[in-house]
Amino acid sequence: MTLAPWRSPIARALHRNRSLPAARYLQLATVRENGLPANRTIVFRGFVPDPFLEEGRLENTLQFITDRRSEKVLELQHNATAEACWYFPKTREQFRLSGQVELVMAPGSATEADVMASLRAHLWQSISDSARSQFAWPHPAKPRAGSEAFELEPPDSQHPLEDFVVLLLAPDKVDHLELRGEPQNRTRFWLDAAGHWQTEAVNP
Amino acid sequence: MTLAPWRSPIARALHRNRSLPAARYLQLATVRENGLPANRTIVFRGFVPDPFLEEGRLENTLQFITDRRSEKVLELQHNATAEACWYFPKTREQFRLSGQVELVMAPGSATEADVMASLRAHLWQSISDSARSQFAWPHPAKPRAGSEAFELEPPDSQHPLEDFVVLLLAPDKVDHLELRGEPQNRTRFWLDAAGHWQTEAVNP
């Protein structure tokens, strides 16, 4: 596997900010069906790990999870480009990661067993009972249901619920800004037409 | 002046997170001219204060500053809707604020002296020398200039540089999610056709 040149500054930032839970939260911007912007916080669930890489596919790809009933799923089905903004408070640096999103939904049949279904099952197993329970909660953003609707037994940790969706972001442009330093440092990375990463130092 | 119903939860969050400088940072999503999303961190500079409110206009409006040469200015001139995502780490709550952005540029003539020019001058005076200097730096995102191009005397604190732009966000929709609590609380606020704020508790 080939690590993109922005992987090492991200790994360093994750390590140096590891004491802050919010350093794993980033903001994902999408475009709504009406052409207006949307933005929300999502939790970084690591890069797609080795066993799921298919001959270069899914390399350098960020994993997130979401609910099929959330608006971002509709938005991404309409326009699959997203830009994540990731700010690290301790080291005072920002990454903007722009690229295509792939949504991994429940497989069409129970016997389907490709690498994406395994990846989805693997992430489902890795999250907490309370994270899993949210996929059994009433429909997000609908008028508030009574509290009894949220009092559920945790779902089976082996079989992902239907509404559990994996969101994979494969950046093709990354902008890294370091606020520390006088002047600040800013580096742009982009995937060229030949599939190679290019790097340029730019003005902050 | 009439405070919107989401102002009090924001004031509380700002107060409870006041020990964290990053609690004044939020992420602003816009749509590029090609219809793709953009997202970056910006610093909250308070709400438009009393002296600049004009008969209800600019009420409940968030202030930011930016460089006229930055891509977001072009994007907002093309599509003035933005969605800010504001996460407060200490209290674990998120506000999504969606609405129209007004850009306050350098006035067309030096004699022009409306409330917007005063607001712009007021914000210019309120920021630090080092923040002011950035508006005299080489063009953002162009190939990195030599270090001497960044070694400047701080600009005059009384007269905003040409590239200093005030960005005003007037939300018409706000979504407040509190991650603390079982289940989490989520409240939606929106400005109705009569100009009144509506509030609804929804599922998280």
PDB file of all heavy atoms in Angstrom, chain A residues 32 39 71 141, chain B residues 6 83-86 93-98 171-178 185-190 197 200 202-204:
ATOM      1  N   ARG A  32     -26.664  20.263  -0.566  1.00  0.00           N
ATOM      2  CA  ARG A  32     -28.031  19.741  -0.544  1.00  0.00           C
ATOM      3  C   ARG A  32     -28.585  19.636  -1.969  1.00  0.00           C
ATOM      4  O   ARG A  32     -28.064  20.254  -2.890  1.00  0.00           O
ATOM      5  CB  ARG A  32     -28.937  20.686   0.260  1.00  0.00           C
ATOM      6  CG  ARG A  32     -28.534  20.834   1.717  1.00  0.00           C
ATOM      7  CD  ARG A  32     -29.500  21.789   2.427  1.00  0.00           C
ATOM      8  NE  ARG A  32     -28.941  22.285   3.664  1.00  0.00           N
ATOM      9  CZ  ARG A  32     -29.070  21.679   4.856  1.00  0.00           C
ATOM     10  NH1 ARG A  32     -29.767  20.567   4.955  1.00  0.00           N
ATOM     11  NH2 ARG A  32     -28.514  22.201   5.935  1.00  0.00           N
ATOM     12  N   ASN A  39     -23.494  21.190   6.707  1.00  0.00           N
ATOM     13  CA  ASN A  39     -22.252  21.009   7.455  1.00  0.00           C
ATOM     14  C   ASN A  39     -22.584  20.404   8.808  1.00  0.00           C
ATOM     15  O   ASN A  39     -23.499  20.873   9.489  1.00  0.00           O
ATOM     16  CB  ASN A  39     -21.586  22.387   7.651  1.00  0.00           C
ATOM     17  CG  ASN A  39     -20.094  22.307   7.856  1.00  0.00           C
ATOM     18  OD1 ASN A  39     -19.501  21.231   7.776  1.00  0.00           O
ATOM     19  ND2 ASN A  39     -19.472  23.448   8.120  1.00  0.00           N
ATOM     20  N   GLU A  71     -30.029  13.231   6.642  1.00  0.00           N
ATOM     21  CA  GLU A  71     -30.071  14.014   5.403  1.00  0.00           C
ATOM     22  C   GLU A  71     -28.794  13.881   4.580  1.00  0.00           C
ATOM     23  O   GLU A  71     -28.824  13.959   3.358  1.00  0.00           O
ATOM     24  CB  GLU A  71     -30.321  15.496   5.729  1.00  0.00           C
ATOM     25  CG  GLU A  71     -31.763  15.761   6.133  1.00  0.00           C
ATOM     26  CD  GLU A  71     -32.012  17.212   6.498  1.00  0.00           C
ATOM     27  OE1 GLU A  71     -31.084  18.033   6.343  1.00  0.00           O
ATOM     28  OE2 GLU A  71     -33.133  17.523   6.935  1.00  0.00           O
ATOM     29  N   ALA A 141     -34.431  13.735  13.386  1.00  0.00           N
ATOM     30  CA  ALA A 141     -34.955  15.037  12.945  1.00  0.00           C
ATOM     31  C   ALA A 141     -36.481  15.090  12.818  1.00  0.00           C
ATOM     32  O   ALA A 141     -37.038  16.127  12.464  1.00  0.00           O
ATOM     33  CB  ALA A 141     -34.286  15.514  11.658  1.00  0.00           C
TER      34      ALA A 141
ATOM     35  N   TRP B   6     -32.274  30.846  20.017  1.00  0.00           N
ATOM     36  CA  TRP B   6     -31.037  30.041  20.052  1.00  0.00           C
ATOM     37  C   TRP B   6     -29.867  30.854  20.605  1.00  0.00           C
ATOM     38  O   TRP B   6     -28.786  30.309  20.814  1.00  0.00           O
ATOM     39  CB  TRP B   6     -30.708  29.510  18.640  1.00  0.00           C
ATOM     40  CG  TRP B   6     -30.819  30.544  17.553  1.00  0.00           C
ATOM     41  CD1 TRP B   6     -31.950  30.833  16.825  1.00  0.00           C
ATOM     42  CD2 TRP B   6     -29.799  31.449  17.103  1.00  0.00           C
ATOM     43  NE1 TRP B   6     -31.682  31.857  15.933  1.00  0.00           N
ATOM     44  CE2 TRP B   6     -30.378  32.255  16.079  1.00  0.00           C
ATOM     45  CE3 TRP B   6     -28.464  31.656  17.440  1.00  0.00           C
ATOM     46  CZ2 TRP B   6     -29.658  33.245  15.401  1.00  0.00           C
ATOM     47  CZ3 TRP B   6     -27.752  32.649  16.779  1.00  0.00           C
ATOM     48  CH2 TRP B   6     -28.352  33.432  15.769  1.00  0.00           C
ATOM     49  N   GLU B  83     -23.450  27.420   5.718  1.00  0.00           N
ATOM     50  CA  GLU B  83     -23.829  26.721   6.937  1.00  0.00           C
ATOM     51  C   GLU B  83     -22.604  26.585   7.823  1.00  0.00           C
ATOM     52  O   GLU B  83     -21.601  25.981   7.445  1.00  0.00           O
ATOM     53  CB  GLU B  83     -24.453  25.352   6.665  1.00  0.00           C
ATOM     54  CG  GLU B  83     -24.964  24.702   7.965  1.00  0.00           C
ATOM     55  CD  GLU B  83     -25.997  23.612   7.754  1.00  0.00           C
ATOM     56  OE1 GLU B  83     -27.053  23.889   7.145  1.00  0.00           O
ATOM     57  OE2 GLU B  83     -25.756  22.472   8.177  1.00  0.00           O
ATOM     58  N   ALA B  84     -22.698  27.190   9.009  1.00  0.00           N
ATOM     59  CA  ALA B  84     -21.618  27.099   9.985  1.00  0.00           C
ATOM     60  C   ALA B  84     -21.902  25.940  10.916  1.00  0.00           C
ATOM     61  O   ALA B  84     -23.043  25.738  11.337  1.00  0.00           O
ATOM     62  CB  ALA B  84     -21.513  28.395  10.768  1.00  0.00           C
ATOM     63  N   CYS B  85     -20.860  25.176  11.228  1.00  0.00           N
ATOM     64  CA  CYS B  85     -20.982  24.088  12.197  1.00  0.00           C
ATOM     65  C   CYS B  85     -20.073  24.438  13.369  1.00  0.00           C
ATOM     66  O   CYS B  85     -18.875  24.664  13.201  1.00  0.00           O
ATOM     67  CB  CYS B  85     -20.575  22.772  11.553  1.00  0.00           C
ATOM     68  SG  CYS B  85     -20.794  21.360  12.641  1.00  0.00           S
ATOM     69  N   TRP B  86     -20.658  24.501  14.546  1.00  0.00           N
ATOM     70  CA  TRP B  86     -19.946  25.003  15.723  1.00  0.00           C
ATOM     71  C   TRP B  86     -20.022  23.949  16.809  1.00  0.00           C
ATOM     72  O   TRP B  86     -21.095  23.697  17.369  1.00  0.00           O
ATOM     73  CB  TRP B  86     -20.626  26.298  16.185  1.00  0.00           C
ATOM     74  CG  TRP B  86     -19.812  27.164  17.081  1.00  0.00           C
ATOM     75  CD1 TRP B  86     -18.632  26.870  17.682  1.00  0.00           C
ATOM     76  CD2 TRP B  86     -20.134  28.509  17.461  1.00  0.00           C
ATOM     77  NE1 TRP B  86     -18.194  27.946  18.404  1.00  0.00           N
ATOM     78  CE2 TRP B  86     -19.102  28.969  18.296  1.00  0.00           C
ATOM     79  CE3 TRP B  86     -21.203  29.376  17.180  1.00  0.00           C
ATOM     80  CZ2 TRP B  86     -19.095  30.231  18.859  1.00  0.00           C
ATOM     81  CZ3 TRP B  86     -21.205  30.632  17.736  1.00  0.00           C
ATOM     82  CH2 TRP B  86     -20.161  31.065  18.564  1.00  0.00           C
ATOM     83  N   GLU B  93     -21.678  19.832  22.654  1.00  0.00           N
ATOM     84  CA  GLU B  93     -22.890  20.219  21.923  1.00  0.00           C
ATOM     85  C   GLU B  93     -22.507  20.866  20.602  1.00  0.00           C
ATOM     86  O   GLU B  93     -21.417  21.415  20.458  1.00  0.00           O
ATOM     87  CB  GLU B  93     -23.772  21.157  22.759  1.00  0.00           C
ATOM     88  CG  GLU B  93     -23.111  22.457  23.149  1.00  0.00           C
ATOM     89  CD  GLU B  93     -23.895  23.223  24.205  1.00  0.00           C
ATOM     90  OE1 GLU B  93     -25.109  23.386  24.054  1.00  0.00           O
ATOM     91  OE2 GLU B  93     -23.257  23.648  25.201  1.00  0.00           O
ATOM     92  N   GLN B  94     -23.411  20.778  19.645  1.00  0.00           N
ATOM     93  CA  GLN B  94     -23.169  21.295  18.303  1.00  0.00           C
ATOM     94  C   GLN B  94     -24.298  22.218  17.875  1.00  0.00           C
ATOM     95  O   GLN B  94     -25.466  21.917  18.103  1.00  0.00           O
ATOM     96  CB  GLN B  94     -23.078  20.123  17.325  1.00  0.00           C
ATOM     97  CG  GLN B  94     -23.152  20.526  15.847  1.00  0.00           C
ATOM     98  CD  GLN B  94     -23.250  19.323  14.930  1.00  0.00           C
ATOM     99  OE1 GLN B  94     -22.249  18.756  14.525  1.00  0.00           O
ATOM    100  NE2 GLN B  94     -24.483  18.903  14.610  1.00  0.00           N
ATOM    101  N   PHE B  95     -23.929  23.326  17.261  1.00  0.00           N
ATOM    102  CA  PHE B  95     -24.906  24.194  16.611  1.00  0.00           C
ATOM    103  C   PHE B  95     -24.620  24.210  15.113  1.00  0.00           C
ATOM    104  O   PHE B  95     -23.471  24.409  14.708  1.00  0.00           O
ATOM    105  CB  PHE B  95     -24.792  25.629  17.136  1.00  0.00           C
ATOM    106  CG  PHE B  95     -25.208  25.798  18.561  1.00  0.00           C
ATOM    107  CD1 PHE B  95     -24.297  25.602  19.589  1.00  0.00           C
ATOM    108  CD2 PHE B  95     -26.511  26.135  18.885  1.00  0.00           C
ATOM    109  CE1 PHE B  95     -24.673  25.747  20.920  1.00  0.00           C
ATOM    110  CE2 PHE B  95     -26.896  26.278  20.219  1.00  0.00           C
ATOM    111  CZ  PHE B  95     -25.972  26.088  21.237  1.00  0.00           C
ATOM    112  N   ARG B  96     -25.653  24.015  14.320  1.00  0.00           N
ATOM    113  CA  ARG B  96     -25.525  24.212  12.878  1.00  0.00           C
ATOM    114  C   ARG B  96     -26.342  25.452  12.544  1.00  0.00           C
ATOM    115  O   ARG B  96     -27.536  25.510  12.854  1.00  0.00           O
ATOM    116  CB  ARG B  96     -26.069  22.998  12.125  1.00  0.00           C
ATOM    117  CG  ARG B  96     -25.281  21.729  12.426  1.00  0.00           C
ATOM    118  CD  ARG B  96     -25.956  20.487  11.869  1.00  0.00           C
ATOM    119  NE  ARG B  96     -26.075  20.547  10.416  1.00  0.00           N
ATOM    120  CZ  ARG B  96     -26.625  19.572   9.692  1.00  0.00           C
ATOM    121  NH1 ARG B  96     -27.100  18.482  10.274  1.00  0.00           N
ATOM    122  NH2 ARG B  96     -26.692  19.683   8.383  1.00  0.00           N
ATOM    123  N   LEU B  97     -25.687  26.441  11.965  1.00  0.00           N
ATOM    124  CA  LEU B  97     -26.334  27.733  11.703  1.00  0.00           C
ATOM    125  C   LEU B  97     -26.312  27.987  10.211  1.00  0.00           C
ATOM    126  O   LEU B  97     -25.241  28.137   9.611  1.00  0.00           O
ATOM    127  CB  LEU B  97     -25.581  28.844  12.443  1.00  0.00           C
ATOM    128  CG  LEU B  97     -25.397  28.622  13.939  1.00  0.00           C
ATOM    129  CD1 LEU B  97     -23.907  28.628  14.284  1.00  0.00           C
ATOM    130  CD2 LEU B  97     -26.111  29.683  14.750  1.00  0.00           C
ATOM    131  N   SER B  98     -27.484  28.076   9.620  1.00  0.00           N
ATOM    132  CA  SER B  98     -27.582  28.204   8.175  1.00  0.00           C
ATOM    133  C   SER B  98     -28.266  29.518   7.821  1.00  0.00           C
ATOM    134  O   SER B  98     -29.265  29.887   8.438  1.00  0.00           O
ATOM    135  CB  SER B  98     -28.411  27.019   7.668  1.00  0.00           C
ATOM    136  OG  SER B  98     -28.522  27.063   6.297  1.00  0.00           O
ATOM    137  N   PRO B 171     -28.284  33.792  10.511  1.00  0.00           N
ATOM    138  CA  PRO B 171     -28.940  32.484  10.394  1.00  0.00           C
ATOM    139  C   PRO B 171     -30.464  32.603  10.269  1.00  0.00           C
ATOM    140  O   PRO B 171     -31.082  33.463  10.904  1.00  0.00           O
ATOM    141  CB  PRO B 171     -28.575  31.776  11.714  1.00  0.00           C
ATOM    142  CG  PRO B 171     -27.404  32.521  12.255  1.00  0.00           C
ATOM    143  CD  PRO B 171     -27.608  33.948  11.815  1.00  0.00           C
ATOM    144  N   ASP B 172     -31.042  31.724   9.438  1.00  0.00           N
ATOM    145  CA  ASP B 172     -32.504  31.600   9.421  1.00  0.00           C
ATOM    146  C   ASP B 172     -32.935  30.197   9.850  1.00  0.00           C
ATOM    147  O   ASP B 172     -34.125  29.920   9.974  1.00  0.00           O
ATOM    148  CB  ASP B 172     -33.088  31.988   8.052  1.00  0.00           C
ATOM    149  CG  ASP B 172     -32.417  31.278   6.895  1.00  0.00           C
ATOM    150  OD1 ASP B 172     -32.144  30.074   7.015  1.00  0.00           O
ATOM    151  OD2 ASP B 172     -32.155  31.941   5.865  1.00  0.00           O
ATOM    152  N   LYS B 173     -31.921  29.327  10.060  1.00  0.00           N
ATOM    153  CA  LYS B 173     -32.184  27.975  10.604  1.00  0.00           C
ATOM    154  C   LYS B 173     -31.042  27.626  11.549  1.00  0.00           C
ATOM    155  O   LYS B 173     -29.871  27.833  11.221  1.00  0.00           O
ATOM    156  CB  LYS B 173     -32.174  26.920   9.498  1.00  0.00           C
ATOM    157  CG  LYS B 173     -33.430  26.815   8.697  1.00  0.00           C
ATOM    158  CD  LYS B 173     -33.391  25.525   7.857  1.00  0.00           C
ATOM    159  CE  LYS B 173     -33.929  25.739   6.465  1.00  0.00           C
ATOM    160  NZ  LYS B 173     -33.060  26.532   5.592  1.00  0.00           N
ATOM    161  N   VAL B 174     -31.383  27.065  12.695  1.00  0.00           N
ATOM    162  CA  VAL B 174     -30.362  26.652  13.660  1.00  0.00           C
ATOM    163  C   VAL B 174     -30.750  25.279  14.196  1.00  0.00           C
ATOM    164  O   VAL B 174     -31.930  25.034  14.500  1.00  0.00           O
ATOM    165  CB  VAL B 174     -30.241  27.684  14.811  1.00  0.00           C
ATOM    166  CG1 VAL B 174     -29.275  27.179  15.881  1.00  0.00           C
ATOM    167  CG2 VAL B 174     -29.789  29.046  14.276  1.00  0.00           C
ATOM    168  N   ASP B 175     -29.781  24.392  14.272  1.00  0.00           N
ATOM    169  CA  ASP B 175     -30.019  23.034  14.759  1.00  0.00           C
ATOM    170  C   ASP B 175     -29.059  22.816  15.928  1.00  0.00           C
ATOM    171  O   ASP B 175     -27.845  22.883  15.765  1.00  0.00           O
ATOM    172  CB  ASP B 175     -29.727  22.059  13.608  1.00  0.00           C
ATOM    173  CG  ASP B 175     -30.043  20.606  13.936  1.00  0.00           C
ATOM    174  OD1 ASP B 175     -29.734  20.163  15.062  1.00  0.00           O
ATOM    175  OD2 ASP B 175     -30.578  19.914  13.058  1.00  0.00           O
ATOM    176  N   HIS B 176     -29.612  22.585  17.104  1.00  0.00           N
ATOM    177  CA  HIS B 176     -28.805  22.449  18.324  1.00  0.00           C
ATOM    178  C   HIS B 176     -28.871  21.005  18.806  1.00  0.00           C
ATOM    179  O   HIS B 176     -29.944  20.492  19.118  1.00  0.00           O
ATOM    180  CB  HIS B 176     -29.346  23.410  19.397  1.00  0.00           C
ATOM    181  CG  HIS B 176     -28.595  23.351  20.693  1.00  0.00           C
ATOM    182  ND1 HIS B 176     -29.174  23.644  21.900  1.00  0.00           N
ATOM    183  CD2 HIS B 176     -27.307  23.037  20.968  1.00  0.00           C
ATOM    184  CE1 HIS B 176     -28.263  23.514  22.862  1.00  0.00           C
ATOM    185  NE2 HIS B 176     -27.132  23.156  22.332  1.00  0.00           N
ATOM    186  N   LEU B 177     -27.702  20.347  18.860  1.00  0.00           N
ATOM    187  CA  LEU B 177     -27.632  18.951  19.300  1.00  0.00           C
ATOM    188  C   LEU B 177     -26.779  18.880  20.558  1.00  0.00           C
ATOM    189  O   LEU B 177     -25.637  19.334  20.576  1.00  0.00           O
ATOM    190  CB  LEU B 177     -27.000  18.103  18.193  1.00  0.00           C
ATOM    191  CG  LEU B 177     -26.722  16.627  18.524  1.00  0.00           C
ATOM    192  CD1 LEU B 177     -28.013  15.839  18.735  1.00  0.00           C
ATOM    193  CD2 LEU B 177     -25.897  15.975  17.412  1.00  0.00           C
ATOM    194  N   GLU B 178     -27.348  18.316  21.625  1.00  0.00           N
ATOM    195  CA  GLU B 178     -26.599  18.115  22.864  1.00  0.00           C
ATOM    196  C   GLU B 178     -26.290  16.633  22.992  1.00  0.00           C
ATOM    197  O   GLU B 178     -27.200  15.824  23.154  1.00  0.00           O
ATOM    198  CB  GLU B 178     -27.428  18.582  24.063  1.00  0.00           C
ATOM    199  CG  GLU B 178     -27.729  20.082  24.045  1.00  0.00           C
ATOM    200  CD  GLU B 178     -28.745  20.461  25.120  1.00  0.00           C
ATOM    201  OE1 GLU B 178     -29.964  20.277  24.890  1.00  0.00           O
ATOM    202  OE2 GLU B 178     -28.320  20.916  26.193  1.00  0.00           O
ATOM    203  N   ASN B 185     -30.388  15.404  23.299  1.00  0.00           N
ATOM    204  CA  ASN B 185     -31.427  16.381  22.967  1.00  0.00           C
ATOM    205  C   ASN B 185     -31.089  17.102  21.669  1.00  0.00           C
ATOM    206  O   ASN B 185     -29.931  17.448  21.432  1.00  0.00           O
ATOM    207  CB  ASN B 185     -31.554  17.414  24.079  1.00  0.00           C
ATOM    208  CG  ASN B 185     -32.197  16.810  25.301  1.00  0.00           C
ATOM    209  OD1 ASN B 185     -33.228  16.126  25.199  1.00  0.00           O
ATOM    210  ND2 ASN B 185     -31.596  17.014  26.456  1.00  0.00           N
ATOM    211  N   ARG B 186     -32.101  17.341  20.864  1.00  0.00           N
ATOM    212  CA  ARG B 186     -31.901  18.078  19.605  1.00  0.00           C
ATOM    213  C   ARG B 186     -33.074  19.026  19.405  1.00  0.00           C
ATOM    214  O   ARG B 186     -34.236  18.621  19.538  1.00  0.00           O
ATOM    215  CB  ARG B 186     -31.791  17.091  18.446  1.00  0.00           C
ATOM    216  CG  ARG B 186     -31.482  17.760  17.113  1.00  0.00           C
ATOM    217  CD  ARG B 186     -31.196  16.695  16.058  1.00  0.00           C
ATOM    218  NE  ARG B 186     -30.995  17.306  14.754  1.00  0.00           N
ATOM    219  CZ  ARG B 186     -30.895  16.619  13.617  1.00  0.00           C
ATOM    220  NH1 ARG B 186     -30.981  15.293  13.628  1.00  0.00           N
ATOM    221  NH2 ARG B 186     -30.706  17.237  12.468  1.00  0.00           N
ATOM    222  N   THR B 187     -32.761  20.275  19.119  1.00  0.00           N
ATOM    223  CA  THR B 187     -33.792  21.294  18.956  1.00  0.00           C
ATOM    224  C   THR B 187     -33.561  22.033  17.647  1.00  0.00           C
ATOM    225  O   THR B 187     -32.429  22.388  17.324  1.00  0.00           O
ATOM    226  CB  THR B 187     -33.728  22.313  20.113  1.00  0.00           C
ATOM    227  OG1 THR B 187     -33.676  21.600  21.350  1.00  0.00           O
ATOM    228  CG2 THR B 187     -34.938  23.231  20.117  1.00  0.00           C
ATOM    229  N   ARG B 188     -34.643  22.237  16.918  1.00  0.00           N
ATOM    230  CA  ARG B 188     -34.546  23.012  15.683  1.00  0.00           C
ATOM    231  C   ARG B 188     -35.251  24.344  15.849  1.00  0.00           C
ATOM    232  O   ARG B 188     -36.335  24.425  16.428  1.00  0.00           O
ATOM    233  CB  ARG B 188     -35.181  22.235  14.521  1.00  0.00           C
ATOM    234  CG  ARG B 188     -34.254  21.185  13.982  1.00  0.00           C
ATOM    235  CD  ARG B 188     -34.777  20.656  12.645  1.00  0.00           C
ATOM    236  NE  ARG B 188     -33.705  19.969  11.944  1.00  0.00           N
ATOM    237  CZ  ARG B 188     -33.860  19.311  10.809  1.00  0.00           C
ATOM    238  NH1 ARG B 188     -35.051  19.271  10.215  1.00  0.00           N
ATOM    239  NH2 ARG B 188     -32.832  18.700  10.240  1.00  0.00           N
ATOM    240  N   PHE B 189     -34.610  25.378  15.309  1.00  0.00           N
ATOM    241  CA  PHE B 189     -35.154  26.741  15.322  1.00  0.00           C
ATOM    242  C   PHE B 189     -35.206  27.214  13.866  1.00  0.00           C
ATOM    243  O   PHE B 189     -34.255  26.973  13.116  1.00  0.00           O
ATOM    244  CB  PHE B 189     -34.219  27.680  16.087  1.00  0.00           C
ATOM    245  CG  PHE B 189     -33.871  27.246  17.481  1.00  0.00           C
ATOM    246  CD1 PHE B 189     -32.760  26.444  17.729  1.00  0.00           C
ATOM    247  CD2 PHE B 189     -34.647  27.651  18.565  1.00  0.00           C
ATOM    248  CE1 PHE B 189     -32.420  26.053  19.021  1.00  0.00           C
ATOM    249  CE2 PHE B 189     -34.312  27.263  19.869  1.00  0.00           C
ATOM    250  CZ  PHE B 189     -33.202  26.467  20.091  1.00  0.00           C
ATOM    251  N   TRP B 190     -36.287  27.876  13.477  1.00  0.00           N
ATOM    252  CA  TRP B 190     -36.293  28.464  12.133  1.00  0.00           C
ATOM    253  C   TRP B 190     -37.143  29.732  12.123  1.00  0.00           C
ATOM    254  O   TRP B 190     -38.081  29.880  12.915  1.00  0.00           O
ATOM    255  CB  TRP B 190     -36.757  27.464  11.073  1.00  0.00           C
ATOM    256  CG  TRP B 190     -38.203  27.077  11.195  1.00  0.00           C
ATOM    257  CD1 TRP B 190     -39.259  27.592  10.519  1.00  0.00           C
ATOM    258  CD2 TRP B 190     -38.754  26.066  12.075  1.00  0.00           C
ATOM    259  NE1 TRP B 190     -40.435  26.989  10.907  1.00  0.00           N
ATOM    260  CE2 TRP B 190     -40.149  26.055  11.853  1.00  0.00           C
ATOM    261  CE3 TRP B 190     -38.201  25.178  13.004  1.00  0.00           C
ATOM    262  CZ2 TRP B 190     -40.995  25.189  12.549  1.00  0.00           C
ATOM    263  CZ3 TRP B 190     -39.050  24.327  13.697  1.00  0.00           C
ATOM    264  CH2 TRP B 190     -40.422  24.339  13.466  1.00  0.00           C
ATOM    265  N   TRP B 197     -39.303  33.491  15.090  1.00  0.00           N
ATOM    266  CA  TRP B 197     -38.562  32.256  15.309  1.00  0.00           C
ATOM    267  C   TRP B 197     -39.493  31.170  15.840  1.00  0.00           C
ATOM    268  O   TRP B 197     -40.260  31.401  16.771  1.00  0.00           O
ATOM    269  CB  TRP B 197     -37.418  32.487  16.292  1.00  0.00           C
ATOM    270  CG  TRP B 197     -36.256  33.150  15.630  1.00  0.00           C
ATOM    271  CD1 TRP B 197     -35.934  34.473  15.664  1.00  0.00           C
ATOM    272  CD2 TRP B 197     -35.276  32.521  14.797  1.00  0.00           C
ATOM    273  NE1 TRP B 197     -34.811  34.712  14.905  1.00  0.00           N
ATOM    274  CE2 TRP B 197     -34.386  33.527  14.359  1.00  0.00           C
ATOM    275  CE3 TRP B 197     -35.063  31.203  14.356  1.00  0.00           C
ATOM    276  CZ2 TRP B 197     -33.301  33.261  13.521  1.00  0.00           C
ATOM    277  CZ3 TRP B 197     -33.990  30.934  13.531  1.00  0.00           C
ATOM    278  CH2 TRP B 197     -33.117  31.956  13.119  1.00  0.00           C
ATOM    279  N   GLU B 200     -38.687  23.643  17.694  1.00  0.00           N
ATOM    280  CA  GLU B 200     -39.259  22.309  17.794  1.00  0.00           C
ATOM    281  C   GLU B 200     -38.216  21.338  18.339  1.00  0.00           C
ATOM    282  O   GLU B 200     -37.069  21.328  17.890  1.00  0.00           O
ATOM    283  CB  GLU B 200     -39.734  21.811  16.417  1.00  0.00           C
ATOM    284  CG  GLU B 200     -40.458  20.469  16.493  1.00  0.00           C
ATOM    285  CD  GLU B 200     -40.968  19.968  15.126  1.00  0.00           C
ATOM    286  OE1 GLU B 200     -40.303  20.225  14.102  1.00  0.00           O
ATOM    287  OE2 GLU B 200     -42.027  19.328  15.111  1.00  0.00           O
ATOM    288  N   VAL B 202     -36.753  17.741  18.307  1.00  0.00           N
ATOM    289  CA  VAL B 202     -36.781  16.641  17.337  1.00  0.00           C
ATOM    290  C   VAL B 202     -35.910  15.490  17.845  1.00  0.00           C
ATOM    291  O   VAL B 202     -35.134  15.644  18.791  1.00  0.00           O
ATOM    292  CB  VAL B 202     -36.294  17.096  15.932  1.00  0.00           C
ATOM    293  CG1 VAL B 202     -37.220  18.176  15.359  1.00  0.00           C
ATOM    294  CG2 VAL B 202     -34.853  17.588  15.963  1.00  0.00           C
ATOM    295  N   ASN B 203     -36.041  14.349  17.182  1.00  0.00           N
ATOM    296  CA  ASN B 203     -35.203  13.201  17.550  1.00  0.00           C
ATOM    297  C   ASN B 203     -33.738  13.472  17.191  1.00  0.00           C
ATOM    298  O   ASN B 203     -33.468  14.078  16.163  1.00  0.00           O
ATOM    299  CB  ASN B 203     -35.660  11.938  16.801  1.00  0.00           C
ATOM    300  CG  ASN B 203     -37.048  11.494  17.216  1.00  0.00           C
ATOM    301  OD1 ASN B 203     -37.412  11.583  18.385  1.00  0.00           O
ATOM    302  ND2 ASN B 203     -37.837  11.024  16.248  1.00  0.00           N
ATOM    303  N   PRO B 204     -32.812  13.006  18.032  1.00  0.00           N
ATOM    304  CA  PRO B 204     -31.389  13.218  17.725  1.00  0.00           C
ATOM    305  C   PRO B 204     -30.946  12.373  16.521  1.00  0.00           C
ATOM    306  O   PRO B 204     -31.673  11.500  16.091  1.00  0.00           O
ATOM    307  CB  PRO B 204     -30.682  12.766  18.993  1.00  0.00           C
ATOM    308  CG  PRO B 204     -31.623  11.846  19.670  1.00  0.00           C
ATOM    309  CD  PRO B 204     -33.000  12.293  19.300  1.00  0.00           C
TER     310      PRO B 204
END
